[in-house]
Amino acid sequence: MTKVRVQTQRSTISRMASSSSSISLGCLLALIALLAQARAAEHSVFTHKNASSVLGQLVTSSTLVWESYDPKDAAQLQYAVEGGKYVTEDEHYPIYVCRVPIDGIQVSGHTEKILQRHVCLAAHYKHGKYDNFDVLMNKGHLGKVGWRHWRKFDAGVPVGAIRIGDDSYIGRHRAPGQPNNEGIATHWGADFNLGHLDPVGLGKIRVIESQREKYYDDGEVLVETEPFRYELRDIKLDRLRTETQENLTELVTRKLENLEDKYSTVETILSYSFDYNQYWGSHEGVARGLPTKIFEKDVSVPAEIYWALKHTERKSENKAVHTKLWPGTAINVTLRGVYVTLEAPYSGKLFAFYYGSDESVSRKISAEVRKSYLKEVKLEFSPVYFIENGTIVPTTTTTTTTSTSTTTHATTTSTNEPTPINEPPLVHMKDQGVQHSGPDTLEKTLHDSPSSNEVNSHEAPENMSSNPGKDVALAGFGGNAAGSISTAGSAFLTLLLTVFMSL
Ligand SMILES: *[C@@H]1O[C@H](CO)[C@@H](O)[C@H](O)[C@H]1NC(C)=O
Ligand SMILES: *[C@@H]1O[C@H](CO)[C@@H](O)[C@H](O)[C@H]1NC(C)=O
Ligand SMILES: *[C@@H]1O[C@H](CO)[C@@H](O)[C@H](O)[C@H]1NC(C)=O
Ligand SMILES: *[C@@H]1O[C@H](CO)[C@@H](O)[C@H](O)[C@H]1NC(C)=O
Ligand SMILES: *[C@@H]1O[C@H](CO)[C@@H](O)[C@H](O)[C@H]1NC(C)=O
Protein backbone atom coordinates (compact mmCIF):
# COMPACT_ATOMS: atom_id res chain seq x y z
CA MET A 1 0.00 0.00 0.00
CA THR A 2 1.29 3.40 -0.89
CA LYS A 3 0.35 6.40 1.07
CA VAL A 4 -1.18 8.84 -1.35
CA ARG A 5 -2.58 11.64 0.70
CA VAL A 6 -2.79 12.32 4.36
CA GLN A 7 -5.71 14.27 5.51
CA THR A 8 -7.09 15.07 8.91
CA GLN A 9 -10.79 15.50 8.87
CA ARG A 10 -12.54 17.22 11.67
CA SER A 11 -15.50 19.47 11.59
CA THR A 12 -14.98 23.04 12.72
CA ILE A 13 -17.21 22.56 15.71
CA SER A 14 -15.34 19.55 16.91
CA ARG A 15 -12.01 21.28 16.33
CA MET A 16 -13.14 24.22 18.42
CA ALA A 17 -14.57 21.96 21.04
CA SER A 18 -11.49 19.83 21.18
CA SER A 19 -9.11 22.73 21.49
CA SER A 20 -11.08 24.29 24.30
CA SER A 21 -11.57 20.93 25.89
CA SER A 22 -7.86 20.25 25.59
CA ILE A 23 -7.18 23.44 27.52
CA SER A 24 -9.59 22.50 30.25
CA LEU A 25 -8.35 18.94 30.06
CA GLY A 26 -4.83 20.26 30.53
CA CYS A 27 -5.91 22.20 33.60
CA LEU A 28 -7.71 19.16 34.90
CA LEU A 29 -4.68 16.97 34.35
CA ALA A 30 -2.45 19.45 36.13
CA LEU A 31 -4.95 19.49 38.98
CA ILE A 32 -5.08 15.72 39.08
CA ALA A 33 -1.29 15.57 39.04
CA LEU A 34 -1.20 17.99 41.95
CA LEU A 35 -3.82 16.04 43.83
CA ALA A 36 -2.07 12.80 43.07
CA GLN A 37 1.11 14.14 44.60
CA ALA A 38 -0.76 15.15 47.68
CA ARG A 39 -2.61 11.84 47.56
CA ALA A 40 -1.78 8.81 49.52
CA ALA A 41 0.95 6.43 48.48
CA GLU A 42 -0.16 3.07 47.11
CA HIS A 43 1.35 -0.37 47.52
CA SER A 44 0.51 -3.64 45.84
CA VAL A 45 -1.50 -6.33 47.51
CA PHE A 46 -0.55 -9.97 47.11
CA THR A 47 -3.06 -12.76 47.10
CA HIS A 48 -2.77 -16.51 47.37
CA LYS A 49 -3.41 -17.60 43.82
CA ASN A 50 -5.62 -20.10 42.04
CA ALA A 51 -4.14 -21.40 38.81
CA SER A 52 -2.79 -24.87 38.58
CA SER A 53 0.54 -23.62 37.27
CA VAL A 54 1.04 -21.20 40.13
CA LEU A 55 -0.86 -22.93 42.90
CA GLY A 56 0.23 -21.64 46.23
CA GLN A 57 2.07 -18.76 44.66
CA LEU A 58 1.44 -15.13 45.30
CA VAL A 59 0.24 -12.75 42.67
CA THR A 60 -0.36 -9.06 42.66
CA SER A 61 -4.01 -8.28 42.99
CA SER A 62 -5.39 -6.32 40.08
CA THR A 63 -8.07 -4.64 42.14
CA LEU A 64 -6.78 -4.24 45.69
CA VAL A 65 -4.13 -1.82 46.93
CA TRP A 66 -2.80 -0.64 50.26
CA GLU A 67 -3.12 3.12 50.50
CA SER A 68 -1.68 5.27 53.25
CA TYR A 69 -4.44 6.82 55.34
CA ASP A 70 -4.98 10.52 54.76
CA PRO A 71 -7.17 12.10 57.46
CA LYS A 72 -7.64 15.18 55.26
CA ASP A 73 -9.21 13.22 52.42
CA ALA A 74 -12.80 12.76 53.46
CA ALA A 75 -13.65 10.62 50.46
CA GLN A 76 -10.70 8.26 50.77
CA LEU A 77 -12.44 5.55 52.77
CA GLN A 78 -15.29 5.12 50.35
CA TYR A 79 -13.33 2.34 48.64
CA ALA A 80 -11.86 0.88 51.81
CA VAL A 81 -12.45 -2.79 52.50
CA GLU A 82 -14.77 -3.20 55.44
CA GLY A 83 -13.88 -5.41 58.35
CA GLY A 84 -17.01 -5.05 60.45
CA LYS A 85 -19.01 -2.49 62.36
CA TYR A 86 -18.33 -0.40 65.37
CA VAL A 87 -21.42 -0.22 67.50
CA THR A 88 -22.10 1.83 70.59
CA GLU A 89 -25.29 3.15 72.04
CA ASP A 90 -25.14 6.28 69.94
CA GLU A 91 -22.70 5.39 67.19
CA HIS A 92 -22.63 2.89 64.39
CA TYR A 93 -19.91 3.02 61.74
CA PRO A 94 -17.91 0.67 59.53
CA ILE A 95 -14.40 -0.35 60.50
CA TYR A 96 -11.79 -0.97 57.84
CA VAL A 97 -8.90 -3.31 57.24
CA CYS A 98 -5.60 -1.58 58.03
CA ARG A 99 -1.94 -2.45 58.49
CA VAL A 100 1.02 -0.91 60.27
CA PRO A 101 4.66 -1.90 60.33
CA ILE A 102 5.56 -2.99 63.85
CA ASP A 103 9.23 -3.82 64.41
CA GLY A 104 9.65 -4.00 60.65
CA ILE A 105 6.80 -6.48 60.10
CA GLN A 106 3.42 -5.56 58.64
CA VAL A 107 0.65 -6.28 61.11
CA SER A 108 -3.02 -6.15 60.19
CA GLY A 109 -5.79 -4.71 62.28
CA HIS A 110 -8.87 -2.58 61.99
CA THR A 111 -9.65 1.08 62.18
CA GLU A 112 -11.46 2.87 64.95
CA LYS A 113 -12.62 6.44 65.07
CA ILE A 114 -11.24 8.86 67.58
CA LEU A 115 -13.08 12.13 67.10
CA GLN A 116 -12.96 12.73 63.36
CA ARG A 117 -9.83 10.69 62.72
CA HIS A 118 -9.31 7.00 62.21
CA VAL A 119 -6.57 5.06 63.94
CA CYS A 120 -5.40 1.53 63.30
CA LEU A 121 -5.75 -0.95 66.12
CA ALA A 122 -3.12 -3.58 65.53
CA ALA A 123 -1.18 -4.57 68.62
CA HIS A 124 -1.81 -5.34 72.25
CA TYR A 125 0.97 -3.27 73.73
CA LYS A 126 1.36 0.52 74.04
CA HIS A 127 -2.42 0.80 73.50
CA GLY A 128 -1.76 -0.53 70.00
CA LYS A 129 -3.30 2.45 68.25
CA TYR A 130 -1.49 3.93 65.29
CA ASP A 131 -2.01 7.21 63.47
CA ASN A 132 0.05 6.38 60.41
CA PHE A 133 -1.12 3.27 58.61
CA ASP A 134 -2.29 1.81 55.32
CA VAL A 135 -5.90 1.02 54.45
CA LEU A 136 -6.90 -1.81 52.11
CA MET A 137 -8.72 -0.37 49.09
CA ASN A 138 -10.93 -2.06 46.51
CA LYS A 139 -10.51 0.55 43.81
CA GLY A 140 -11.49 -1.28 40.68
CA HIS A 141 -14.75 -2.45 42.16
CA LEU A 142 -14.59 -5.55 40.01
CA GLY A 143 -12.84 -7.85 42.41
CA LYS A 144 -15.24 -9.53 44.77
CA VAL A 145 -13.89 -9.30 48.24
CA GLY A 146 -15.49 -11.19 51.07
CA TRP A 147 -14.92 -12.98 54.33
CA ARG A 148 -14.78 -16.73 54.10
CA HIS A 149 -15.28 -19.02 57.04
CA TRP A 150 -12.10 -20.82 58.08
CA ARG A 151 -11.54 -23.71 60.46
CA LYS A 152 -8.33 -25.20 61.70
CA PHE A 153 -9.03 -28.49 59.92
CA ASP A 154 -9.74 -26.90 56.54
CA ALA A 155 -6.86 -27.44 54.24
CA GLY A 156 -4.49 -24.52 54.51
CA VAL A 157 -4.76 -21.06 53.10
CA PRO A 158 -7.84 -20.34 50.98
CA VAL A 159 -7.40 -19.30 47.37
CA GLY A 160 -7.46 -15.54 47.12
CA ALA A 161 -6.40 -14.94 50.73
CA ILE A 162 -4.73 -11.57 51.11
CA ARG A 163 -1.22 -11.66 52.34
CA ILE A 164 0.02 -9.48 55.12
CA GLY A 165 3.57 -9.68 56.34
CA ASP A 166 5.72 -12.68 55.58
CA ASP A 167 3.41 -15.66 55.63
CA SER A 168 0.17 -14.59 57.15
CA TYR A 169 -3.17 -13.60 55.73
CA ILE A 170 -5.86 -11.19 56.81
CA GLY A 171 -8.34 -12.82 59.18
CA ARG A 172 -10.88 -11.85 61.79
CA HIS A 173 -12.79 -13.27 64.68
CA ARG A 174 -16.14 -12.20 66.07
CA ALA A 175 -15.82 -10.20 69.25
CA PRO A 176 -17.39 -12.05 72.16
CA GLY A 177 -20.66 -10.59 73.39
CA GLN A 178 -21.34 -9.75 77.02
CA PRO A 179 -24.73 -10.32 78.57
CA ASN A 180 -26.45 -7.06 79.50
CA ASN A 181 -28.91 -6.39 82.33
CA GLU A 182 -31.63 -8.45 80.64
CA GLY A 183 -29.19 -11.30 80.06
CA ILE A 184 -29.09 -10.69 76.27
CA ALA A 185 -25.64 -10.87 74.78
CA THR A 186 -24.77 -7.47 73.41
CA HIS A 187 -21.56 -5.99 72.38
CA TRP A 188 -20.38 -2.43 72.29
CA GLY A 189 -17.38 -1.68 70.15
CA ALA A 190 -16.11 -3.49 67.06
CA ASP A 191 -18.20 -6.54 66.22
CA PHE A 192 -15.12 -8.25 64.77
CA ASN A 193 -11.51 -8.14 65.81
CA LEU A 194 -9.17 -8.13 62.87
CA GLY A 195 -5.88 -9.89 62.86
CA HIS A 196 -4.38 -12.59 60.75
CA LEU A 197 -4.37 -16.23 59.79
CA ASP A 198 -1.06 -17.76 60.68
CA PRO A 199 -0.77 -20.91 58.55
CA VAL A 200 1.98 -22.54 60.59
CA GLY A 201 0.98 -26.10 61.48
CA LEU A 202 -2.75 -26.48 61.06
CA GLY A 203 -3.03 -22.75 61.40
CA LYS A 204 -4.70 -20.33 63.77
CA ILE A 205 -6.40 -16.97 63.70
CA ARG A 206 -4.69 -14.40 65.82
CA VAL A 207 -6.52 -11.26 66.93
CA ILE A 208 -6.26 -8.58 69.57
CA GLU A 209 -9.16 -8.91 71.96
CA SER A 210 -9.59 -6.64 74.98
CA GLN A 211 -5.98 -5.52 74.65
CA ARG A 212 -4.77 -9.09 74.70
CA GLU A 213 -3.49 -11.38 71.99
CA LYS A 214 -5.86 -14.32 71.38
CA TYR A 215 -5.62 -17.40 69.18
CA TYR A 216 -8.59 -19.20 67.68
CA ASP A 217 -9.12 -22.42 65.77
CA ASP A 218 -11.71 -20.81 63.57
CA GLY A 219 -12.67 -17.46 62.20
CA GLU A 220 -12.86 -15.82 58.82
CA VAL A 221 -10.28 -15.08 56.18
CA LEU A 222 -10.56 -12.22 53.72
CA VAL A 223 -10.48 -13.52 50.13
CA GLU A 224 -10.51 -11.83 46.81
CA THR A 225 -12.19 -13.59 43.90
CA GLU A 226 -10.84 -12.28 40.67
CA PRO A 227 -12.88 -12.30 37.50
CA PHE A 228 -11.74 -14.50 34.63
CA ARG A 229 -13.43 -12.60 31.82
CA TYR A 230 -15.20 -9.35 31.08
CA GLU A 231 -17.91 -8.01 28.82
CA LEU A 232 -18.13 -4.40 27.73
CA ARG A 233 -21.63 -3.13 26.94
CA ASP A 234 -23.64 0.11 26.70
CA ILE A 235 -20.80 1.86 24.93
CA LYS A 236 -21.27 5.59 24.49
CA LEU A 237 -18.80 7.76 22.64
CA ASP A 238 -17.99 11.27 23.69
CA ARG A 239 -18.66 12.63 20.26
CA LEU A 240 -17.35 16.14 20.83
CA ARG A 241 -13.95 14.72 21.61
CA THR A 242 -14.00 12.11 18.86
CA GLU A 243 -11.23 12.49 16.33
CA THR A 244 -10.89 10.76 13.01
CA GLN A 245 -7.87 10.74 10.75
CA GLU A 246 -8.47 9.72 7.19
CA ASN A 247 -5.72 8.48 4.96
CA LEU A 248 -6.50 7.92 1.27
CA THR A 249 -4.54 4.83 0.41
CA GLU A 250 -3.78 3.07 -2.85
CA LEU A 251 -4.66 -0.57 -2.23
CA VAL A 252 -3.80 -2.29 -5.50
CA THR A 253 -3.21 -1.43 -9.16
CA ARG A 254 -3.35 -3.73 -12.16
CA LYS A 255 -3.38 -3.73 -15.95
CA LEU A 256 -6.38 -5.11 -17.89
CA GLU A 257 -5.34 -5.95 -21.47
CA ASN A 258 -6.81 -7.63 -24.51
CA LEU A 259 -4.21 -9.85 -26.19
CA GLU A 260 -6.75 -11.60 -28.38
CA ASP A 261 -7.63 -10.64 -31.91
CA LYS A 262 -11.24 -9.55 -31.34
CA TYR A 263 -13.22 -7.15 -29.20
CA SER A 264 -13.82 -9.09 -25.91
CA THR A 265 -14.37 -9.03 -22.19
CA VAL A 266 -11.28 -8.94 -19.97
CA GLU A 267 -11.54 -9.76 -16.26
CA THR A 268 -9.22 -9.78 -13.29
CA ILE A 269 -9.45 -10.25 -9.51
CA LEU A 270 -7.91 -7.53 -7.35
CA SER A 271 -6.81 -8.62 -3.86
CA TYR A 272 -5.59 -6.48 -1.00
CA SER A 273 -5.46 -6.58 2.76
CA PHE A 274 -5.41 -4.13 5.62
CA ASP A 275 -5.06 -4.10 9.41
CA TYR A 276 -8.23 -3.82 11.40
CA ASN A 277 -7.16 -2.58 14.84
CA GLN A 278 -9.03 -1.96 18.04
CA TYR A 279 -7.90 -0.88 21.46
CA TRP A 280 -10.41 -0.15 24.21
CA GLY A 281 -8.06 1.47 26.68
CA SER A 282 -7.20 0.46 30.18
CA HIS A 283 -8.74 1.27 33.51
CA GLU A 284 -7.69 1.35 37.13
CA GLY A 285 -8.49 -1.88 38.87
CA VAL A 286 -9.36 -3.76 35.69
CA ALA A 287 -7.06 -6.67 34.97
CA ARG A 288 -4.95 -6.41 31.83
CA GLY A 289 -5.09 -9.26 29.38
CA LEU A 290 -8.39 -10.80 30.50
CA PRO A 291 -10.56 -12.07 27.62
CA THR A 292 -13.20 -9.44 26.93
CA LYS A 293 -16.21 -9.45 24.66
CA ILE A 294 -17.10 -6.08 23.21
CA PHE A 295 -20.80 -5.62 22.54
CA GLU A 296 -21.17 -2.67 20.23
CA LYS A 297 -24.54 -1.31 19.30
CA ASP A 298 -26.22 -3.20 16.44
CA VAL A 299 -23.39 -5.70 16.14
CA SER A 300 -24.63 -9.27 16.33
CA VAL A 301 -21.31 -10.99 17.04
CA PRO A 302 -19.20 -9.37 19.77
CA ALA A 303 -15.53 -8.74 19.12
CA GLU A 304 -13.26 -10.76 21.36
CA ILE A 305 -10.20 -8.99 22.60
CA TYR A 306 -7.88 -9.06 25.59
CA TRP A 307 -8.53 -6.19 27.95
CA ALA A 308 -6.05 -3.30 27.73
CA LEU A 309 -4.18 -4.85 24.81
CA LYS A 310 -4.26 -3.75 21.20
CA HIS A 311 -6.12 -6.20 18.99
CA THR A 312 -5.10 -6.47 15.35
CA GLU A 313 -6.63 -8.56 12.59
CA ARG A 314 -5.30 -8.71 9.07
CA LYS A 315 -8.31 -8.62 6.76
CA SER A 316 -8.32 -9.49 3.06
CA GLU A 317 -10.78 -8.60 0.36
CA ASN A 318 -11.16 -9.47 -3.30
CA LYS A 319 -12.90 -7.56 -6.04
CA ALA A 320 -13.57 -8.79 -9.56
CA VAL A 321 -13.18 -6.15 -12.27
CA HIS A 322 -14.15 -6.59 -15.91
CA THR A 323 -14.48 -4.49 -19.03
CA LYS A 324 -14.52 -4.87 -22.80
CA LEU A 325 -11.49 -3.89 -24.84
CA TRP A 326 -10.43 -3.84 -28.48
CA PRO A 327 -7.52 -6.06 -29.51
CA GLY A 328 -4.13 -4.64 -28.63
CA THR A 329 -5.49 -2.18 -26.05
CA ALA A 330 -5.32 -2.02 -22.25
CA ILE A 331 -6.38 0.04 -19.24
CA ASN A 332 -4.91 0.42 -15.78
CA VAL A 333 -7.28 -0.18 -12.85
CA THR A 334 -6.56 0.99 -9.30
CA LEU A 335 -8.41 0.47 -6.02
CA ARG A 336 -8.17 3.17 -3.38
CA GLY A 337 -9.68 3.21 0.06
CA VAL A 338 -9.89 5.54 3.02
CA TYR A 339 -7.97 4.16 5.99
CA VAL A 340 -9.50 5.69 9.10
CA THR A 341 -8.15 5.96 12.61
CA LEU A 342 -10.88 6.90 15.06
CA GLU A 343 -10.10 7.89 18.61
CA ALA A 344 -12.73 8.72 21.19
CA PRO A 345 -13.28 8.83 24.89
CA TYR A 346 -16.17 6.56 25.82
CA SER A 347 -18.12 5.35 28.77
CA GLY A 348 -19.43 1.83 29.04
CA LYS A 349 -20.49 -0.83 31.44
CA LEU A 350 -17.92 -3.47 32.21
CA PHE A 351 -19.27 -6.79 33.48
CA ALA A 352 -16.98 -9.15 35.33
CA PHE A 353 -17.54 -12.92 35.54
CA TYR A 354 -16.21 -15.23 38.23
CA TYR A 355 -15.53 -18.94 38.45
CA GLY A 356 -18.16 -20.84 40.34
CA SER A 357 -20.71 -18.07 40.07
CA ASP A 358 -23.37 -17.36 37.49
CA GLU A 359 -23.66 -13.82 38.58
CA SER A 360 -21.76 -10.95 37.12
CA VAL A 361 -20.76 -7.69 38.69
CA SER A 362 -20.78 -4.56 36.60
CA ARG A 363 -19.54 -1.04 36.89
CA LYS A 364 -19.43 1.96 34.67
CA ILE A 365 -16.03 2.82 33.29
CA SER A 366 -14.57 5.59 31.17
CA ALA A 367 -11.66 5.02 28.85
CA GLU A 368 -10.48 5.79 25.32
CA VAL A 369 -11.11 3.67 22.29
CA ARG A 370 -8.95 3.64 19.17
CA LYS A 371 -9.94 1.84 16.00
CA SER A 372 -8.37 1.66 12.56
CA TYR A 373 -10.31 0.36 9.60
CA LEU A 374 -10.78 0.74 5.87
CA LYS A 375 -13.78 2.26 4.18
CA GLU A 376 -14.92 3.63 0.83
CA VAL A 377 -13.01 1.36 -1.49
CA LYS A 378 -13.28 2.85 -4.97
CA LEU A 379 -12.23 1.86 -8.43
CA GLU A 380 -10.30 4.22 -10.66
CA PHE A 381 -9.12 3.50 -14.19
CA SER A 382 -6.93 5.09 -16.81
CA PRO A 383 -7.81 5.94 -20.40
CA VAL A 384 -7.52 3.07 -22.87
CA TYR A 385 -4.04 2.83 -24.38
CA PHE A 386 -2.26 0.76 -27.05
CA ILE A 387 -0.25 -2.06 -25.45
CA GLU A 388 2.43 -1.73 -28.14
CA ASN A 389 3.44 1.89 -27.64
CA GLY A 390 1.46 3.12 -24.61
CA THR A 391 -0.23 5.81 -26.66
CA ILE A 392 -3.67 6.70 -25.43
CA VAL A 393 -6.43 5.62 -27.79
CA PRO A 394 -8.10 8.87 -28.86
CA THR A 395 -11.62 9.35 -27.61
CA THR A 396 -14.12 12.09 -28.20
CA THR A 397 -14.46 12.71 -24.50
CA THR A 398 -11.08 13.22 -22.91
CA THR A 399 -12.13 13.02 -19.27
CA THR A 400 -11.56 9.86 -17.35
CA THR A 401 -14.55 8.76 -15.38
CA THR A 402 -14.54 6.81 -12.23
CA SER A 403 -17.02 4.04 -11.90
CA THR A 404 -18.06 2.55 -8.64
CA SER A 405 -20.57 0.34 -10.28
CA THR A 406 -21.09 -2.95 -8.60
CA THR A 407 -22.99 -4.62 -11.44
CA THR A 408 -23.54 -8.14 -10.38
CA HIS A 409 -22.98 -10.26 -13.48
CA ALA A 410 -20.62 -10.09 -16.35
CA THR A 411 -22.15 -9.02 -19.61
CA THR A 412 -21.58 -11.30 -22.57
CA THR A 413 -20.34 -9.92 -25.84
CA SER A 414 -22.96 -7.60 -27.16
CA THR A 415 -23.81 -7.29 -30.81
CA ASN A 416 -23.48 -3.56 -31.25
CA GLU A 417 -19.81 -3.17 -30.39
CA PRO A 418 -18.69 0.30 -29.42
CA THR A 419 -15.90 1.85 -31.40
CA PRO A 420 -12.85 2.49 -29.25
CA ILE A 421 -12.36 5.86 -30.78
CA ASN A 422 -15.56 7.32 -29.42
CA GLU A 423 -16.32 6.04 -25.97
CA PRO A 424 -14.49 5.39 -22.71
CA PRO A 425 -15.04 1.79 -21.60
CA LEU A 426 -17.48 0.68 -18.94
CA VAL A 427 -15.62 -0.95 -16.08
CA HIS A 428 -17.57 -3.08 -13.65
CA MET A 429 -16.50 -4.00 -10.13
CA LYS A 430 -17.99 -6.80 -8.09
CA ASP A 431 -17.27 -7.99 -4.51
CA GLN A 432 -15.84 -11.50 -4.23
CA GLY A 433 -16.34 -13.24 -0.91
CA VAL A 434 -16.65 -11.59 2.48
CA GLN A 435 -16.09 -7.85 2.64
CA HIS A 436 -14.60 -6.31 5.76
CA SER A 437 -14.24 -2.71 4.78
CA GLY A 438 -16.86 -0.06 5.33
CA PRO A 439 -17.69 2.52 7.96
CA ASP A 440 -16.96 1.10 11.37
CA THR A 441 -19.78 0.37 13.78
CA LEU A 442 -18.44 3.04 16.11
CA GLU A 443 -18.40 5.60 13.33
CA LYS A 444 -22.01 4.75 12.59
CA THR A 445 -23.06 5.40 16.17
CA LEU A 446 -21.68 8.93 15.82
CA HIS A 447 -24.57 9.63 13.48
CA ASP A 448 -27.14 8.43 15.98
CA SER A 449 -29.12 10.81 18.14
CA PRO A 450 -26.86 13.19 20.05
CA SER A 451 -26.45 13.99 23.76
CA SER A 452 -24.87 10.89 25.18
CA ASN A 453 -21.66 12.43 26.32
CA GLU A 454 -21.84 11.61 29.95
CA VAL A 455 -18.51 10.43 31.19
CA ASN A 456 -18.97 9.38 34.72
CA SER A 457 -17.34 6.61 36.67
CA HIS A 458 -17.17 5.59 40.31
CA GLU A 459 -20.66 4.30 40.40
CA ALA A 460 -21.18 1.47 42.77
CA PRO A 461 -21.32 -1.78 40.87
CA GLU A 462 -24.62 -3.48 40.47
CA ASN A 463 -25.27 -6.76 42.24
CA MET A 464 -22.99 -5.51 44.93
CA SER A 465 -24.98 -2.68 46.34
CA SER A 466 -28.39 -4.10 47.05
CA ASN A 467 -29.56 -7.67 47.67
CA PRO A 468 -28.95 -8.57 51.28
CA GLY A 469 -26.62 -11.42 50.60
CA LYS A 470 -27.48 -15.05 50.89
CA ASP A 471 -24.06 -16.28 51.67
CA VAL A 472 -21.58 -13.50 51.29
CA ALA A 473 -20.32 -10.91 53.62
CA LEU A 474 -19.44 -7.92 51.59
CA ALA A 475 -16.26 -6.16 52.33
CA GLY A 476 -15.08 -3.01 50.77
CA PHE A 477 -17.97 -0.72 50.16
CA GLY A 478 -17.73 1.85 52.83
CA GLY A 479 -20.24 4.01 51.03
CA ASN A 480 -23.06 1.56 51.44
CA ALA A 481 -22.17 -0.36 54.49
CA ALA A 482 -25.38 -2.32 54.49
CA GLY A 483 -24.70 -3.66 51.03
CA SER A 484 -23.99 -7.28 50.37
CA ILE A 485 -23.54 -9.29 47.27
CA SER A 486 -25.05 -12.61 46.63
CA THR A 487 -23.17 -15.14 44.63
CA ALA A 488 -24.94 -18.15 43.27
CA GLY A 489 -24.70 -20.47 46.21
CA SER A 490 -21.49 -22.06 45.15
CA ALA A 491 -20.40 -24.60 47.66
CA PHE A 492 -16.88 -24.10 46.48
CA LEU A 493 -16.73 -20.49 47.53
CA THR A 494 -18.58 -20.52 50.75
CA LEU A 495 -18.43 -16.96 51.80
CA LEU A 496 -20.51 -16.85 54.89
CA LEU A 497 -22.67 -13.97 55.85
CA THR A 498 -21.33 -12.72 59.09
CA VAL A 499 -24.76 -12.29 60.57
CA PHE A 500 -25.33 -16.00 60.33
CA MET A 501 -21.99 -16.85 61.75
CA SER A 502 -22.20 -18.86 64.88
CA LEU A 503 -19.36 -18.93 67.29
C1 LIG B 1 -2.00 5.60 6.03
O1 LIG B 1 -2.30 4.24 5.78
C2 LIG B 1 -1.19 3.39 5.66
C3 LIG B 1 -1.61 2.01 5.35
O2 LIG B 1 -2.94 1.83 5.24
C4 LIG B 1 -0.40 3.40 6.93
O3 LIG B 1 0.72 2.58 6.82
C5 LIG B 1 0.00 4.81 7.25
O4 LIG B 1 0.69 4.83 8.47
C6 LIG B 1 -1.20 5.69 7.32
N1 LIG B 1 -0.79 7.06 7.54
C7 LIG B 1 -1.30 7.81 8.51
C8 LIG B 1 -0.80 9.19 8.62
O5 LIG B 1 -2.17 7.38 9.23
C1 LIG C 1 -9.53 -21.96 39.85
O1 LIG C 1 -9.24 -22.04 38.46
C2 LIG C 1 -9.87 -23.10 37.77
C3 LIG C 1 -9.45 -23.00 36.32
O2 LIG C 1 -8.12 -22.64 36.19
C4 LIG C 1 -11.37 -22.99 37.91
O3 LIG C 1 -11.99 -24.10 37.28
C5 LIG C 1 -11.75 -22.95 39.37
O4 LIG C 1 -13.15 -22.77 39.49
C6 LIG C 1 -11.03 -21.80 40.05
N1 LIG C 1 -11.37 -21.73 41.46
C7 LIG C 1 -11.60 -20.56 42.07
C8 LIG C 1 -11.92 -20.63 43.50
O5 LIG C 1 -11.54 -19.48 41.49
C1 LIG D 1 -27.01 -9.42 38.44
O1 LIG D 1 -27.19 -10.81 38.53
C2 LIG D 1 -28.23 -11.36 37.72
C3 LIG D 1 -28.28 -12.84 37.93
O2 LIG D 1 -28.75 -13.12 39.21
C4 LIG D 1 -27.95 -11.06 36.26
O3 LIG D 1 -29.02 -11.51 35.46
C5 LIG D 1 -27.79 -9.60 36.08
O4 LIG D 1 -27.43 -9.33 34.75
C6 LIG D 1 -26.71 -9.06 37.01
N1 LIG D 1 -26.61 -7.65 36.87
C7 LIG D 1 -25.46 -7.06 36.67
C8 LIG D 1 -25.50 -5.62 36.47
O5 LIG D 1 -24.39 -7.68 36.65
C1 LIG E 1 -0.41 2.16 -16.82
O1 LIG E 1 0.44 1.64 -15.77
C2 LIG E 1 1.82 1.64 -16.13
C3 LIG E 1 2.58 1.04 -14.98
O2 LIG E 1 1.96 -0.08 -14.50
C4 LIG E 1 2.28 3.05 -16.43
O3 LIG E 1 3.64 3.03 -16.82
C5 LIG E 1 1.45 3.68 -17.52
O4 LIG E 1 1.81 5.01 -17.69
C6 LIG E 1 -0.03 3.59 -17.14
N1 LIG E 1 -0.80 4.09 -18.25
C7 LIG E 1 -1.79 4.95 -18.11
C8 LIG E 1 -2.49 5.37 -19.36
O5 LIG E 1 -2.13 5.35 -17.02
C1 LIG F 1 0.63 2.97 -31.45
O1 LIG F 1 0.23 1.70 -31.90
C2 LIG F 1 -1.06 1.66 -32.50
C3 LIG F 1 -1.41 0.26 -32.92
O2 LIG F 1 -0.44 -0.65 -32.71
C4 LIG F 1 -1.08 2.58 -33.72
O3 LIG F 1 -2.37 2.56 -34.30
C5 LIG F 1 -0.73 3.98 -33.29
O4 LIG F 1 -0.65 4.81 -34.39
C6 LIG F 1 0.60 3.98 -32.55
N1 LIG F 1 0.81 5.34 -32.06
C7 LIG F 1 2.00 5.92 -32.13
C8 LIG F 1 2.09 7.32 -31.59
O5 LIG F 1 2.97 5.34 -32.61
Side-chain angles (χ1 to χ4, degrees), residues 349 351-352 358-363 461-463 467 486:
K349 233 175 180 182
F351 291 72
D358 297 333
E359 216 171 58
S360 60
V361 169
S362 78
R363 69 162 296 187
E462 285 172 27
N463 277 346
N467 266 345
S486 62

Side-chain angles (χ1 to χ4, degrees), residues 234-239 241 345-348 364-367 450-457 459:
D234 297 347
I235 299 159
K236 292 196 178 90
L237 293 195
D238 179 346
R239 80 188 62 206
R241 288 163 63 206
Y346 71 92
S347 69
K364 198 159 170 190
I365 63 159
S366 297
S451 84
S452 50
N453 300 334
E454 81 262 55
V455 171
N456 179 15
S457 62
E459 279 183 9

